[in-house]
Amino acid sequence: MKTLRQSPLDPAFVQNPYEFYAKVLAEDPVQFWQDYDMVAAFDAATVHALLRDRRLGRAVPADQQKPIPDHLRAFDAVERYSMLDMEPPTHTRLRGLVLRAFTSRRIKALTPDINAICDDLLHAFPDGPFDLIPAYCTALPVRIIARLLGVPEEMSGELLRWSNTMVAMYQASRNRAAEDAANQAAREFAEFLSGYIEKRRQAPRDDLITHLIAAEEDGEKLTRDEMIGTCILLLNAGHEATVHTMGNAVKALLQNEFTPDFLGDDQIATTVEEVLRYDPPLHMFTRYAYEDIAIGQHTLKVGAQVALMLGSAGRDPARFDQPDVFDPHRTPAPHAAFGGGLHFCVGAPLARLELQIGLQKLFRHAPKLTLTTPPAYGNTYHFHGLTELLVRL
């Protein structure tokens, strides 16, 4: 098996990882990535197959579990109840209960809220140049999540701070300072949610927390810790992905001389899928092998981790014609931006709805929106999003 050497902190790589992906895809799409000390799969066929292979999973094998350091106990207390790192039967039970509350009807019912929040944000845009990331791309999903959960919207800033601090744990630049901050954020977030869940037990409302409390399957309900872990996961994963995708979408549209038909009612859904393929918010998703698995000409040994390169899979020429061209009119093909299999993103329908409405509203409000400075991606690999998006109306 060939060995790759590419630091995820290299500025040139962070700004354009697709050149690196193209080189790997042209050689052997399954190689050992030395910087991560694991096998990585870059091609669409392998990534999609492994996402659905039940011989792989997110839960750490028992013989690899390590004691939790004291400075991460609060963070671990939240993460251990995250669906993202569970496997059946625990994952099946928890996801089933969450889906009873997080229904398509409830998501569709958020349409008026999404429209209203977009209008509120758009009308607050300044006349001169400004940064669209905090003004729109970030503000929209965090306010939607607040409304979905049923927490006060004035908590949006605090929710955002907690989320950003915790998500830093999954970036290549993670260090001890980031760990300490994430642990404190997890403690504060869990304490807030614990009190808020108790309020909803006493005074139910038509919000997700109330419905999570009521959700029941075969006589089982979500525990308090499971509800806290689920709410934090929905905020952290859903908010992070939507912020990055919204910014990446605006960048792609403005840099590729888009035409208004890209955002028409009969085209917007396909345009959003093209953005998710072309410049997705998450580029790597890891799994453990629970038995020896053949991957092409290679064997992944039991207990080993494998990196599924979601960002590379979307640029695979074996699946997409002219993959480096942004073309919303291309015939859609399945991408991996929301994962797949048991861990397919539970918030994908809401993210799609926010992106479709948000992009349409933005460009109808500002049809002559232009970039004032070339956008730059943040040093946050394997997340892929802009640090700022300076525009003028």
Side-chain angles (χ1 to χ4, degrees):
M1 182 180 294
K2 292 184 178 180
T3 296
L4 296 171
R5 294 174 180 83
Q6 173 59 66
S7 170
L9 300 177
D10 175 16
F13 170 76
V14 168
Q15 294 308 311
N16 182 14
Y18 300 110
E19 288 186 0
F20 170 69
Y21 299 158
K23 291 177 182 178
V24 177
L25 288 169
E27 299 171 352
D28 185 337
V30 179
Q31 300 192 35
F32 183 82
W33 195 341
Q34 182 172 291
D35 302 81
Y36 279 101
D37 193 30
M38 69 178 73
V39 173
F42 290 80
D43 63 304
T46 303
V47 167
H48 282 272
L50 295 183
L51 282 169
R52 291 161 177 78
D53 195 322
R54 298 291 294 273
R55 296 172 298 171
L56 294 131
R58 289 283 301 172
V60 181
D63 62 349
Q64 295 187 40
Q65 294 178 10
K66 299 176 182 178
I68 303 302
D70 289 341
H71 73 284
L72 286 176
R73 291 197 179 279
F75 183 83
D76 175 71
V78 168
E79 288 296 289
R80 74 175 62 179
Y81 294 102
S82 168
M83 284 187 294
L84 196 61
D85 295 320
M86 293 179 176
E87 292 299 314
T90 308
H91 176 272
T92 306
R93 169 186 161 273
L94 185 55
R95 187 177 176 105
L97 287 167
V98 170
L99 288 176
R100 284 177 175 264
F102 203 50
T103 62
S104 58
R105 179 192 63 80
R106 176 159 301 283
I107 293 168
K108 187 176 181 180
L110 284 168
T111 298
D113 295 87
I114 298 173
N115 277 285
I117 292 172
C118 285
D119 288 338
D120 185 41
L121 296 172
L122 292 169
H123 292 147
F125 281 179
D127 293 329
F130 68 102
D131 186 354
L132 193 70
I133 297 297
Y136 194 72
C137 303
T138 298
L140 174 59
V142 75
R143 286 177 63 176
I144 289 297
I145 288 290
R147 289 199 186 185
L148 177 68
L149 294 176
V151 304
E153 263 185 62
E154 54 267 28
M155 287 288 299
S156 294
E158 199 72 351
L159 294 175
L160 185 61
R161 182 180 67 81
W162 288 330
S163 176
N164 289 340
T165 305
M166 293 182 69
V167 167
M169 289 286 283
Y170 306 104
Q171 297 167 4
S173 55
R174 168 179 168 175
N175 54 29
R176 175 57 188 263
E179 292 179 351
D180 289 338
N183 195 65
Q184 180 62 26
R187 179 182 295 109
E188 293 173 5
F189 203 169
E191 288 174 354
F192 165 74
L193 284 172
S194 181
Y196 207 82
I197 289 168
E198 189 55 38
K199 288 181 180 178
R200 283 292 163 266
R201 289 190 193 278
Q202 303 302 320
R205 292 185 183 177
D206 187 18
D207 57 37
L208 185 62
I209 288 179
T210 298
H211 287 273
L212 287 173
I213 292 170
E216 185 173 0
E217 187 171 12
D218 297 330
E220 288 200 46
K221 289 180 173 286
L222 288 161
T223 67
R224 168 187 162 280
D225 289 337
E226 288 171 341
M227 275 188 279
I228 289 173
T230 297
C231 290
I232 291 177
L233 174 63
L234 289 174
L235 173 68
N236 290 357
H239 155 262
E240 190 80 14
T242 309
V243 170
H244 292 336
T245 307
M246 185 71 77
N248 295 356
V250 174
K251 173 181 179 289
L253 288 164
L254 294 181
Q255 290 186 332
N256 288 277
E257 299 182 359
F258 79 98
T259 56
D261 66 293
F262 286 4
L263 303 174
D265 291 343
D266 60 345
Q267 177 65 37
I268 184 62
T270 304
T271 297
V272 166
E273 296 310 303
E274 175 67 353
V275 170
L276 289 163
R277 176 203 72 82
Y278 179 76
D279 204 18
L282 179 66
H283 277 216
M284 176 192 289
F285 195 51
T286 60
R287 276 186 162 79
Y288 289 93
Y290 297 146
E291 57 183 85
D292 289 352
I293 300 171
I295 305 177
Q297 302 299 313
H298 312 295
T299 299
L300 185 68
K301 293 295 186 179
V302 62
Q305 271 190 292
V306 58
L308 308 184
M309 305 307 298
L310 311 182
S312 175
R315 297 290 188 102
D316 185 352
R319 174 161 295 203
F320 303 99
D321 184 41
Q322 294 185 297
D324 294 326
V325 174
F326 178 68
D327 178 15
H329 290 303
R330 74 169 65 242
T331 301
H335 58 72
F338 289 121
L342 291 176
H343 292 285
F344 181 79
C345 177
V346 72
L350 176 58
R352 285 181 162 122
L353 185 63
E354 287 183 55
L355 290 163
Q356 291 170 21
I357 294 174
L359 288 171
Q360 282 189 319
K361 299 284 281 190
L362 172 64
F363 283 96
R364 286 172 182 169
H365 177 81
K368 296 182 180 180
L369 191 73
T370 57
L371 296 170
T372 62
T373 304
Y377 293 97
N379 184 25
T380 56
Y381 195 81
H382 43 87
F383 297 107
H384 188 66
L386 302 169
T387 53
E388 61 182 12
L389 186 59
L390 299 177
V391 298
R392 68 168 69 246
L393 301 181

